[in-house]
Amino acid sequence: MTTAAIIIFGYFFLFFLLGTMLRNNGVVDVGWGLGFVVTAWLLLLLHPPLTLARATMTLLITLWGLRLFAHILRRNLGKPEDFRYAAFRRAWGRWVVPRAFLQVYMLQGVFMYLISLPVILTVGVSAPANPLLFGLGLAVFACGFAFEAVGDVQLRTFLRDPNNRGKLMTGGMWRYTRHPNYFGEATMWWGIFLIAVSGGASLLTALSPITITLLLLFVSGVPLLEKSMKNRPGYAAYAAQTSVFFPWFPKKEASK
């Protein structure tokens, strides 16, 4: 939908201006969750009718997006540019501004558009919600939100203890998956997809959870964090016992 594309382009263009002015393209991470909230609300206000599925998705995305915005803002505030964007800045040299515009801000805009398909493709759809799919979607979203929110709190508590400096987080949610927050985020979008379909959206909305799941598993989530974890003491044993993404009971240590 053109309206969604304009909203998302304008949103990321503003963050591009802010990041360029601050010489810190890491601001795009702070704006990620909030962008979904802005898009969902503007589409709801500009394009009636209001249906149960659309209202519910907007509220759930608001809950998720504002929590993520606050979490990343708290984590990044007052800190230098994230190492990923700092590496891009060094590699791109004098072309950093145009390349950041295209490869950081606009690329994330494309991903945001794809992931926002549940709210985009329910515009103009007024079918009553299928109660079974709607209830299932709520349950799946709640499961994902619990993994992401609780996992983030547990990690923040762990990192605050100076005795844990340089150590791996292996307790709590991390006992069952090495990336509970990433699993939770992907799961939430599968729940939103089910709610959208319950309200009459086409199966094309499946591109939303598929996109975020593939991004987290193979591009911007798990691979980058795994790379940073590999040099920490105990990683090999932890990785051998703990599922990388989907939660499962830890494997027993092999007998010596």
Side-chain angles (χ1 to χ4, degrees), residues 28-81:
V28 74
D29 291 340
V30 177
W32 174 251
L34 191 61
F36 289 94
V37 178
V38 171
T39 302
W41 275 103
L42 287 178
L43 288 178
L44 190 67
L45 294 172
L46 294 172
H47 296 283
L50 175 66
T51 63
L52 177 62
R54 293 187 71 199
T56 302
M57 285 190 296
T58 301
L59 291 174
L60 294 180
I61 288 170
T62 301
L63 175 66
W64 164 76
L66 291 182
R67 192 210 69 84
L68 185 62
F69 166 73
H71 172 72
I72 297 179
L73 180 65
R74 187 189 306 116
R75 186 186 68 189
N76 292 4
L77 196 63
K79 294 183 180 178
E81 187 175 45

Short mmCIF file of all heavy atoms in Angstrom, two decimals, residues 28-81:
data_model
loop_
_atom_site.label_atom_id
_atom_site.label_comp_id
_atom_site.label_asym_id
_atom_site.label_seq_id
_atom_site.Cartn_x
_atom_site.Cartn_y
_atom_site.Cartn_z
N VAL A 28 19.23 4.15 14.36
CA VAL A 28 18.23 3.40 13.61
C VAL A 28 17.70 2.22 14.43
O VAL A 28 16.54 1.84 14.31
CB VAL A 28 18.79 2.93 12.25
CG1 VAL A 28 19.77 1.77 12.41
CG2 VAL A 28 17.68 2.55 11.29
N ASP A 29 18.55 1.65 15.28
CA ASP A 29 18.11 0.54 16.13
C ASP A 29 17.11 1.02 17.18
O ASP A 29 16.15 0.31 17.50
CB ASP A 29 19.32 -0.10 16.83
CG ASP A 29 20.23 -0.83 15.87
OD1 ASP A 29 19.77 -1.17 14.76
OD2 ASP A 29 21.40 -1.05 16.21
N VAL A 30 17.33 2.22 17.70
CA VAL A 30 16.41 2.79 18.68
C VAL A 30 15.03 3.00 18.04
O VAL A 30 13.99 2.76 18.66
CB VAL A 30 16.95 4.13 19.23
CG1 VAL A 30 15.95 4.76 20.19
CG2 VAL A 30 18.30 3.92 19.91
N GLY A 31 15.02 3.43 16.78
CA GLY A 31 13.77 3.73 16.11
C GLY A 31 13.05 2.53 15.52
O GLY A 31 11.91 2.66 15.06
N TRP A 32 13.68 1.35 15.53
CA TRP A 32 13.11 0.18 14.87
C TRP A 32 11.73 -0.18 15.40
O TRP A 32 10.73 -0.18 14.66
CB TRP A 32 14.08 -0.99 15.01
CG TRP A 32 13.57 -2.31 14.50
CD1 TRP A 32 13.20 -3.39 15.24
CD2 TRP A 32 13.38 -2.69 13.12
NE1 TRP A 32 12.81 -4.42 14.42
CE2 TRP A 32 12.92 -4.03 13.12
CE3 TRP A 32 13.57 -2.04 11.90
CZ2 TRP A 32 12.61 -4.72 11.94
CZ3 TRP A 32 13.28 -2.73 10.73
CH2 TRP A 32 12.81 -4.05 10.75
N GLY A 33 11.61 -0.48 16.68
CA GLY A 33 10.32 -0.88 17.23
C GLY A 33 9.28 0.22 17.15
O GLY A 33 8.10 -0.03 16.85
N LEU A 34 9.70 1.46 17.39
CA LEU A 34 8.77 2.58 17.37
C LEU A 34 8.18 2.80 15.98
O LEU A 34 7.04 3.23 15.84
CB LEU A 34 9.50 3.85 17.84
CG LEU A 34 8.64 5.08 18.12
CD1 LEU A 34 7.63 4.78 19.24
CD2 LEU A 34 9.52 6.26 18.49
N GLY A 35 8.95 2.48 14.94
CA GLY A 35 8.46 2.66 13.57
C GLY A 35 7.23 1.82 13.27
O GLY A 35 6.32 2.25 12.55
N PHE A 36 7.19 0.61 13.82
CA PHE A 36 6.02 -0.26 13.62
C PHE A 36 4.79 0.33 14.30
O PHE A 36 3.67 0.22 13.79
CB PHE A 36 6.31 -1.65 14.16
CG PHE A 36 7.30 -2.44 13.35
CD1 PHE A 36 8.65 -2.43 13.66
CD2 PHE A 36 6.88 -3.18 12.26
CE1 PHE A 36 9.56 -3.15 12.90
CE2 PHE A 36 7.78 -3.91 11.49
CZ PHE A 36 9.13 -3.88 11.81
N VAL A 37 5.02 0.93 15.46
CA VAL A 37 3.91 1.54 16.20
C VAL A 37 3.33 2.72 15.41
O VAL A 37 2.12 2.83 15.23
CB VAL A 37 4.39 2.03 17.59
CG1 VAL A 37 3.25 2.71 18.34
CG2 VAL A 37 4.95 0.87 18.40
N VAL A 38 4.22 3.58 14.91
CA VAL A 38 3.79 4.74 14.12
C VAL A 38 3.03 4.28 12.88
O VAL A 38 1.95 4.80 12.56
CB VAL A 38 5.01 5.59 13.71
CG1 VAL A 38 4.61 6.67 12.71
CG2 VAL A 38 5.64 6.23 14.95
N THR A 39 3.56 3.30 12.18
CA THR A 39 2.92 2.80 10.96
C THR A 39 1.55 2.21 11.25
O THR A 39 0.56 2.50 10.55
CB THR A 39 3.81 1.74 10.28
OG1 THR A 39 5.09 2.31 9.98
CG2 THR A 39 3.18 1.23 8.99
N ALA A 40 1.45 1.38 12.27
CA ALA A 40 0.18 0.72 12.60
C ALA A 40 -0.89 1.74 12.98
O ALA A 40 -2.04 1.65 12.52
CB ALA A 40 0.39 -0.28 13.75
N TRP A 41 -0.53 2.72 13.80
CA TRP A 41 -1.52 3.70 14.24
C TRP A 41 -1.97 4.61 13.11
O TRP A 41 -3.17 4.92 12.99
CB TRP A 41 -0.97 4.52 15.41
CG TRP A 41 -1.18 3.84 16.72
CD1 TRP A 41 -0.26 3.16 17.46
CD2 TRP A 41 -2.41 3.73 17.45
NE1 TRP A 41 -0.82 2.64 18.60
CE2 TRP A 41 -2.14 2.99 18.63
CE3 TRP A 41 -3.71 4.20 17.24
CZ2 TRP A 41 -3.13 2.70 19.56
CZ3 TRP A 41 -4.69 3.92 18.18
CH2 TRP A 41 -4.41 3.18 19.32
N LEU A 42 -1.03 5.06 12.28
CA LEU A 42 -1.41 5.94 11.18
C LEU A 42 -2.31 5.22 10.18
O LEU A 42 -3.29 5.79 9.68
CB LEU A 42 -0.17 6.50 10.49
CG LEU A 42 0.60 7.57 11.27
CD1 LEU A 42 1.84 8.01 10.51
CD2 LEU A 42 -0.30 8.79 11.54
N LEU A 43 -2.02 3.96 9.90
CA LEU A 43 -2.87 3.20 8.99
C LEU A 43 -4.26 3.00 9.59
O LEU A 43 -5.28 3.08 8.88
CB LEU A 43 -2.25 1.84 8.67
CG LEU A 43 -1.03 1.87 7.74
CD1 LEU A 43 -0.47 0.45 7.55
CD2 LEU A 43 -1.37 2.47 6.39
N LEU A 44 -4.31 2.76 10.89
CA LEU A 44 -5.61 2.56 11.54
C LEU A 44 -6.44 3.85 11.52
O LEU A 44 -7.65 3.81 11.27
CB LEU A 44 -5.38 2.11 12.99
CG LEU A 44 -6.62 1.63 13.75
CD1 LEU A 44 -7.17 0.34 13.17
CD2 LEU A 44 -6.29 1.43 15.23
N LEU A 45 -5.78 4.99 11.73
CA LEU A 45 -6.49 6.27 11.78
C LEU A 45 -6.87 6.79 10.39
O LEU A 45 -7.94 7.39 10.21
CB LEU A 45 -5.63 7.31 12.51
CG LEU A 45 -5.37 7.05 14.00
CD1 LEU A 45 -4.36 8.05 14.54
CD2 LEU A 45 -6.67 7.11 14.79
N LEU A 46 -6.00 6.52 9.42
CA LEU A 46 -6.24 7.05 8.07
C LEU A 46 -7.15 6.17 7.23
O LEU A 46 -7.76 6.65 6.26
CB LEU A 46 -4.90 7.24 7.34
CG LEU A 46 -3.96 8.31 7.92
CD1 LEU A 46 -2.60 8.24 7.22
CD2 LEU A 46 -4.56 9.70 7.77
N HIS A 47 -7.21 4.88 7.56
CA HIS A 47 -7.96 3.94 6.71
C HIS A 47 -8.90 3.06 7.54
O HIS A 47 -8.53 1.96 7.94
CB HIS A 47 -6.99 3.06 5.92
CG HIS A 47 -6.14 3.80 4.95
ND1 HIS A 47 -6.60 4.27 3.75
CD2 HIS A 47 -4.83 4.17 5.03
CE1 HIS A 47 -5.63 4.89 3.11
NE2 HIS A 47 -4.54 4.85 3.86
N PRO A 48 -10.11 3.55 7.84
CA PRO A 48 -11.10 2.69 8.49
C PRO A 48 -11.54 1.60 7.51
O PRO A 48 -11.16 1.67 6.34
CB PRO A 48 -12.23 3.68 8.81
CG PRO A 48 -12.06 4.81 7.87
CD PRO A 48 -10.59 4.90 7.56
N PRO A 49 -12.27 0.56 7.96
CA PRO A 49 -12.95 0.48 9.25
C PRO A 49 -12.08 -0.10 10.36
O PRO A 49 -11.08 -0.76 10.10
CB PRO A 49 -14.12 -0.47 8.95
CG PRO A 49 -13.55 -1.40 7.92
CD PRO A 49 -12.65 -0.56 7.06
N LEU A 50 -12.53 0.15 11.58
CA LEU A 50 -11.88 -0.43 12.75
C LEU A 50 -12.50 -1.81 13.00
O LEU A 50 -13.70 -1.93 13.20
CB LEU A 50 -12.10 0.48 13.97
CG LEU A 50 -11.57 -0.05 15.30
CD1 LEU A 50 -10.05 -0.13 15.27
CD2 LEU A 50 -12.03 0.85 16.44
N THR A 51 -11.67 -2.83 12.96
CA THR A 51 -12.15 -4.19 13.23
C THR A 51 -11.42 -4.74 14.45
O THR A 51 -10.42 -4.18 14.89
CB THR A 51 -11.88 -5.12 12.03
OG1 THR A 51 -10.46 -5.22 11.83
CG2 THR A 51 -12.53 -4.57 10.76
N LEU A 52 -11.93 -5.85 14.97
CA LEU A 52 -11.30 -6.47 16.13
C LEU A 52 -9.85 -6.86 15.82
O LEU A 52 -8.95 -6.61 16.64
CB LEU A 52 -12.10 -7.70 16.55
CG LEU A 52 -11.52 -8.51 17.73
CD1 LEU A 52 -11.46 -7.66 18.99
CD2 LEU A 52 -12.34 -9.78 17.96
N ALA A 53 -9.63 -7.45 14.65
CA ALA A 53 -8.28 -7.90 14.30
C ALA A 53 -7.33 -6.70 14.17
O ALA A 53 -6.21 -6.73 14.70
CB ALA A 53 -8.31 -8.69 12.99
N ARG A 54 -7.76 -5.64 13.49
CA ARG A 54 -6.90 -4.47 13.30
C ARG A 54 -6.60 -3.77 14.62
O ARG A 54 -5.46 -3.37 14.89
CB ARG A 54 -7.53 -3.49 12.32
CG ARG A 54 -7.65 -4.00 10.89
CD ARG A 54 -8.14 -2.90 9.97
NE ARG A 54 -7.12 -1.89 9.76
CZ ARG A 54 -7.36 -0.66 9.32
NH1 ARG A 54 -8.61 -0.28 9.09
NH2 ARG A 54 -6.38 0.20 9.16
N ALA A 55 -7.64 -3.60 15.44
CA ALA A 55 -7.44 -2.94 16.74
C ALA A 55 -6.51 -3.75 17.62
O ALA A 55 -5.61 -3.19 18.28
CB ALA A 55 -8.79 -2.74 17.42
N THR A 56 -6.69 -5.06 17.63
CA THR A 56 -5.86 -5.93 18.47
C THR A 56 -4.41 -5.90 18.01
O THR A 56 -3.48 -5.79 18.82
CB THR A 56 -6.39 -7.37 18.44
OG1 THR A 56 -7.75 -7.38 18.90
CG2 THR A 56 -5.55 -8.27 19.34
N MET A 57 -4.18 -6.03 16.70
CA MET A 57 -2.81 -5.98 16.18
C MET A 57 -2.14 -4.66 16.53
O MET A 57 -0.96 -4.63 16.91
CB MET A 57 -2.81 -6.19 14.67
CG MET A 57 -3.05 -7.61 14.23
SD MET A 57 -2.76 -7.83 12.46
CE MET A 57 -4.04 -6.79 11.76
N THR A 58 -2.88 -3.56 16.39
CA THR A 58 -2.30 -2.25 16.68
C THR A 58 -1.90 -2.15 18.15
O THR A 58 -0.82 -1.65 18.48
CB THR A 58 -3.30 -1.14 16.32
OG1 THR A 58 -3.62 -1.23 14.94
CG2 THR A 58 -2.71 0.24 16.60
N LEU A 59 -2.73 -2.65 19.04
CA LEU A 59 -2.43 -2.60 20.47
C LEU A 59 -1.24 -3.51 20.81
O LEU A 59 -0.37 -3.13 21.60
CB LEU A 59 -3.65 -3.01 21.29
CG LEU A 59 -4.82 -2.01 21.27
CD1 LEU A 59 -6.03 -2.59 22.00
CD2 LEU A 59 -4.40 -0.68 21.90
N LEU A 60 -1.20 -4.70 20.22
CA LEU A 60 -0.10 -5.62 20.50
C LEU A 60 1.22 -5.08 19.94
O LEU A 60 2.27 -5.18 20.60
CB LEU A 60 -0.40 -6.99 19.90
CG LEU A 60 -1.57 -7.76 20.52
CD1 LEU A 60 -1.76 -9.11 19.83
CD2 LEU A 60 -1.40 -7.94 22.02
N ILE A 61 1.19 -4.52 18.75
CA ILE A 61 2.40 -3.93 18.17
C ILE A 61 2.86 -2.74 19.00
O ILE A 61 4.07 -2.52 19.18
CB ILE A 61 2.14 -3.53 16.70
CG1 ILE A 61 2.03 -4.78 15.83
CG2 ILE A 61 3.25 -2.62 16.17
CD1 ILE A 61 1.54 -4.52 14.42
N THR A 62 1.92 -1.98 19.54
CA THR A 62 2.27 -0.86 20.41
C THR A 62 2.95 -1.36 21.68
O THR A 62 3.98 -0.81 22.11
CB THR A 62 1.01 -0.06 20.78
OG1 THR A 62 0.39 0.43 19.59
CG2 THR A 62 1.36 1.12 21.69
N LEU A 63 2.41 -2.41 22.28
CA LEU A 63 3.01 -3.01 23.47
C LEU A 63 4.42 -3.47 23.18
O LEU A 63 5.37 -3.17 23.94
CB LEU A 63 2.14 -4.18 23.94
CG LEU A 63 2.67 -5.01 25.11
CD1 LEU A 63 2.72 -4.18 26.39
CD2 LEU A 63 1.80 -6.25 25.32
N TRP A 64 4.59 -4.21 22.09
CA TRP A 64 5.91 -4.72 21.73
C TRP A 64 6.87 -3.59 21.35
O TRP A 64 8.00 -3.52 21.83
CB TRP A 64 5.77 -5.69 20.55
CG TRP A 64 7.08 -5.98 19.87
CD1 TRP A 64 8.08 -6.80 20.32
CD2 TRP A 64 7.55 -5.42 18.63
NE1 TRP A 64 9.14 -6.77 19.43
CE2 TRP A 64 8.83 -5.94 18.41
CE3 TRP A 64 7.00 -4.53 17.71
CZ2 TRP A 64 9.58 -5.59 17.27
CZ3 TRP A 64 7.73 -4.19 16.59
CH2 TRP A 64 9.01 -4.72 16.38
N GLY A 65 6.41 -2.69 20.48
CA GLY A 65 7.29 -1.65 19.94
C GLY A 65 7.75 -0.66 20.99
O GLY A 65 8.93 -0.27 21.00
N LEU A 66 6.87 -0.23 21.89
CA LEU A 66 7.26 0.72 22.92
C LEU A 66 8.22 0.08 23.93
O LEU A 66 9.17 0.72 24.39
CB LEU A 66 6.03 1.28 23.63
CG LEU A 66 5.13 2.21 22.79
CD1 LEU A 66 3.97 2.72 23.62
CD2 LEU A 66 5.93 3.38 22.21
N ARG A 67 7.97 -1.18 24.26
CA ARG A 67 8.90 -1.87 25.17
C ARG A 67 10.27 -2.00 24.55
O ARG A 67 11.30 -1.74 25.18
CB ARG A 67 8.35 -3.25 25.53
CG ARG A 67 9.09 -3.93 26.69
CD ARG A 67 9.09 -5.44 26.58
NE ARG A 67 9.89 -5.92 25.47
CZ ARG A 67 11.21 -6.09 25.55
NH1 ARG A 67 11.88 -5.81 26.66
NH2 ARG A 67 11.89 -6.53 24.52
N LEU A 68 10.32 -2.38 23.26
CA LEU A 68 11.60 -2.53 22.58
C LEU A 68 12.30 -1.19 22.43
O LEU A 68 13.52 -1.09 22.62
CB LEU A 68 11.38 -3.17 21.20
CG LEU A 68 12.64 -3.51 20.41
CD1 LEU A 68 13.48 -4.55 21.16
CD2 LEU A 68 12.28 -4.03 19.02
N PHE A 69 11.55 -0.14 22.10
CA PHE A 69 12.11 1.20 21.99
C PHE A 69 12.76 1.63 23.31
O PHE A 69 13.91 2.10 23.33
CB PHE A 69 11.01 2.18 21.59
CG PHE A 69 11.37 3.63 21.77
CD1 PHE A 69 12.26 4.25 20.90
CD2 PHE A 69 10.83 4.38 22.81
CE1 PHE A 69 12.60 5.59 21.07
CE2 PHE A 69 11.16 5.71 22.98
CZ PHE A 69 12.06 6.32 22.10
N ALA A 70 12.05 1.45 24.41
CA ALA A 70 12.57 1.84 25.72
C ALA A 70 13.80 1.01 26.09
O ALA A 70 14.79 1.53 26.64
CB ALA A 70 11.49 1.70 26.79
N HIS A 71 13.76 -0.28 25.77
CA HIS A 71 14.88 -1.18 26.10
C HIS A 71 16.15 -0.78 25.35
O HIS A 71 17.23 -0.67 25.95
CB HIS A 71 14.49 -2.62 25.75
CG HIS A 71 15.62 -3.59 25.87
ND1 HIS A 71 16.13 -4.00 27.08
CD2 HIS A 71 16.35 -4.23 24.91
CE1 HIS A 71 17.12 -4.86 26.87
NE2 HIS A 71 17.27 -5.01 25.57
N ILE A 72 16.04 -0.55 24.05
CA ILE A 72 17.23 -0.22 23.26
C ILE A 72 17.71 1.19 23.56
O ILE A 72 18.92 1.45 23.60
CB ILE A 72 16.94 -0.40 21.75
CG1 ILE A 72 16.61 -1.88 21.46
CG2 ILE A 72 18.13 0.05 20.91
CD1 ILE A 72 16.29 -2.18 20.02
N LEU A 73 16.78 2.13 23.80
CA LEU A 73 17.18 3.49 24.16
C LEU A 73 17.96 3.47 25.47
O LEU A 73 19.02 4.12 25.58
CB LEU A 73 15.94 4.37 24.30
CG LEU A 73 16.20 5.83 24.69
CD1 LEU A 73 16.97 6.54 23.58
CD2 LEU A 73 14.87 6.56 24.95
N ARG A 74 17.49 2.74 26.45
CA ARG A 74 18.19 2.63 27.74
C ARG A 74 19.57 2.00 27.55
O ARG A 74 20.55 2.42 28.18
CB ARG A 74 17.34 1.79 28.70
CG ARG A 74 17.89 1.74 30.12
CD ARG A 74 17.15 0.72 30.98
NE ARG A 74 15.72 0.93 30.98
CZ ARG A 74 14.84 0.07 30.49
NH1 ARG A 74 15.26 -1.06 29.92
NH2 ARG A 74 13.55 0.31 30.54
N ARG A 75 19.64 1.02 26.69
CA ARG A 75 20.90 0.31 26.48
C ARG A 75 21.93 1.15 25.72
O ARG A 75 23.13 1.09 26.00
CB ARG A 75 20.61 -0.98 25.68
CG ARG A 75 21.81 -1.90 25.51
CD ARG A 75 21.45 -3.05 24.58
NE ARG A 75 21.24 -2.60 23.20
CZ ARG A 75 20.76 -3.37 22.23
NH1 ARG A 75 20.39 -4.63 22.52
NH2 ARG A 75 20.62 -2.91 21.02
N ASN A 76 21.47 1.97 24.76
CA ASN A 76 22.39 2.71 23.88
C ASN A 76 22.66 4.14 24.31
O ASN A 76 23.62 4.75 23.83
CB ASN A 76 21.84 2.72 22.45
CG ASN A 76 21.85 1.35 21.81
OD1 ASN A 76 22.19 0.36 22.44
ND2 ASN A 76 21.47 1.29 20.55
N LEU A 77 21.82 4.70 25.17
CA LEU A 77 21.92 6.11 25.51
C LEU A 77 23.28 6.44 26.13
O LEU A 77 23.71 5.81 27.10
CB LEU A 77 20.80 6.50 26.48
CG LEU A 77 20.54 8.00 26.65
CD1 LEU A 77 20.07 8.61 25.32
CD2 LEU A 77 19.47 8.23 27.72
N GLY A 78 23.94 7.45 25.55
CA GLY A 78 25.22 7.89 26.08
C GLY A 78 26.40 7.05 25.66
O GLY A 78 27.55 7.34 26.06
N LYS A 79 26.17 6.01 24.85
CA LYS A 79 27.26 5.14 24.42
C LYS A 79 27.68 5.49 22.99
O LYS A 79 26.91 6.08 22.24
CB LYS A 79 26.83 3.67 24.51
CG LYS A 79 26.59 3.21 25.94
CD LYS A 79 26.24 1.74 25.99
CE LYS A 79 26.01 1.30 27.44
NZ LYS A 79 25.62 -0.13 27.51
N PRO A 80 28.91 5.14 22.61
CA PRO A 80 29.35 5.43 21.23
C PRO A 80 28.59 4.60 20.21
O PRO A 80 27.83 3.67 20.57
CB PRO A 80 30.83 5.05 21.26
CG PRO A 80 30.96 4.09 22.39
CD PRO A 80 29.95 4.50 23.42
N GLU A 81 28.79 4.91 18.96
CA GLU A 81 28.12 4.21 17.87
C GLU A 81 28.39 2.71 17.95
O GLU A 81 29.52 2.28 18.19
CB GLU A 81 28.61 4.76 16.53
CG GLU A 81 27.87 4.22 15.31
CD GLU A 81 28.31 4.90 14.02
OE1 GLU A 81 29.53 5.05 13.83
OE2 GLU A 81 27.45 5.26 13.21
#
